[in-house]
Structures are given as structure tokens and as C-alpha cells.
Amino acid sequence: MFRALLIKEWKQLRTLRWVGLCLGALLPPFLLVVAEAAKRGRLPFGQISDYSVEQLLTTALPFLAAGLWGLLALLFTAQSFAGDRAAGTETFLLERPVPRNRVWWARLVAALGSLLLSIAVHVILWLGLGRLLVGSSGGPPIAALLVLAAGGAVVGLVGFVAGVAAASFVQSPIQAVLLGLILAVVPTGLSVFLAGFSPLAMLGRIPVGVVLPWLFLLPGY
């Protein structure tokens, strides 16, 4: 029964997975187009003298990747946990002789698997594109992309936890995405505030104010 539920949830996220994979594949070309336009002075916000593919893939791409993976985490969880509710089929599903925890775990595994698959495919695509554009002797180093994947995975995990929490309280996926975004931003805002309020409170080299919101809010979610 769990396998059937998991297949159902996995198929339900199929369109979002394809959208996420396409967006990830388009990020590096988008960066190259923007950088080339900025180099030629065709952008209103400034001009750059020069750029390199390796620099773009290891400096600018991580910020866009973190945002993309965080957004995908919210979308996957919202659709998985609130999609049936919005379509009016959740009540019918929960009336079947199926333990509710199996339904919940099937949704969780499908959403988390979709997010991890998207992150893995994106990193592989970007590494291959870097090797293709710069050459076999150049391109972004594997270590840099592994750091990118780790940092993006943390952002995705935050979005995932916030998305699951948000989808437990609202009726539609859109509402779950918006509420999940708020829940994900709250720990970040508190970290910045506490770090500025008590900059000398350190645990080794780690500011205590940065860590505390994540230690309490994420388990609370």
C-alpha cells in the first residue's frame, strides 16, 4: 500500500520536477547572457569590464541556486501535502482503510526525493557545462560545486521543513508556498538581529545569535 501511495505522490510532482530541472538547466546560460550584456553596457544597472565562465559558475551561480532550491522545496512540499486538499480528494483518501502516517510518509518521501533529485541533476549539469565551456583542464573545481551543493541543500532543507509546516495549516498550495516562505525567512531575520544585538557572543568562531534561531525554530516547525 505504501508503494502505491508513493507512486501516486511521485507522479503528482512530475510536472514540478520537470519545471525545476528546466530552470536549473537554464540558469548558467542566463548568467552568461546577463554577463555578456553587462560587459557591452546594455544593462541599466551597470557595466563590467570582463568575466569568466568559471567565475560565474563559482560565485554568481551559488546565490541563484540557493534561491531556486529553496523555492523548489516549498513548491514540492506545498503540492505534495496540500495538493489533494485543494483538489478535494484528501478527505476521500483519508477515509480509505490506510493508516494516515503512511499517507504522510509517502508525501514526505516523494517531496524530499524530488528535491534531492533536482539538486543532484543540477550540480551534474553545471559541472558538465563548466567542463564543456572552459575545457577539460579548467572549469569550476569539483570541490567548489560540492560546497555549492552542500550550501544549497541546507537552504533547500530549510525550505522543505518550513513548507511541510505551512502545508499543515492552509488549504491550497499557493497559500502553503507563501506561508512557508514566511516561516523560512523568520529564522534568517532572527539570526541577523541576534548576531547584531550580541556580536561578542561566540561559540568558537560561530556567533551564538546566528545558531540559536535554527536550533529552536526548525525542530519547532
Side-chain angles (χ1 to χ4, degrees):
M1 181 59 67
F2 177 80
R3 181 180 179 183
L5 289 171
L6 180 59
I7 292 174
K8 167 193 170 297
E9 297 296 335
W10 186 261
K11 289 182 178 180
Q12 186 170 302
L13 298 176
R14 178 171 50 195
T15 302
L16 280 179
R17 277 196 305 274
W18 280 112
V19 171
L21 293 177
C22 291
L23 288 176
L26 291 175
L27 271 185
F30 171 76
L31 282 175
L32 291 174
V33 171
V34 171
E36 186 64 27
K39 180 180 178 180
R40 300 184 181 185
R42 296 180 180 178
L43 294 181
F45 51 79
Q47 183 176 1
I48 59 176
S49 58
D50 199 6
Y51 68 93
S52 67
V53 175
E54 181 177 356
Q55 184 180 18
L56 289 177
L57 293 181
T58 55
T59 57
L61 185 59
F63 295 99
L64 294 179
L68 174 62
W69 292 340
L71 177 61
L72 287 178
L74 290 174
L75 291 174
F76 286 141
T77 53
Q79 181 60 35
S80 182
F81 285 87
D84 289 332
R85 195 176 310 144
T89 59
E90 185 176 60
T91 302
F92 172 81
L93 177 63
L94 295 179
E95 287 177 349
R96 302 301 96 190
V98 180
R100 295 193 174 194
N101 63 335
R102 291 191 181 183
V103 177
W104 191 86
W105 277 108
R107 292 173 174 176
L108 187 73
V109 172
L112 183 59
S114 297
L115 176 63
L116 295 178
L117 176 64
S118 300
I119 292 176
V121 173
H122 290 164
V123 172
I124 292 173
L125 285 176
W126 297 337
L127 180 61
L129 181 63
R131 294 290 188 243
L132 178 64
L133 294 179
V134 182
S136 59
S137 60
I142 295 179
L145 284 178
L146 290 178
V147 172
L148 160 64
V154 171
V155 176
L157 178 62
V158 172
F160 185 84
V161 174
V164 173
S168 302
F169 296 100
V170 297
Q171 295 295 322
S172 71
I174 294 179
Q175 294 173 342
V177 170
L178 295 178
L179 180 58
L181 181 61
I182 295 175
L183 294 179
V185 169
V186 167
T188 304
L190 287 177
S191 295
V192 174
F193 172 77
L194 292 177
F197 182 76
S198 55
L200 298 181
M202 305 286 289
L203 185 62
R205 297 184 178 181
I206 302 176
V208 175
V210 174
V211 177
L212 284 180
W214 303 102
L215 290 179
F216 290 98
L217 285 181
L218 287 185
Y221 291 166

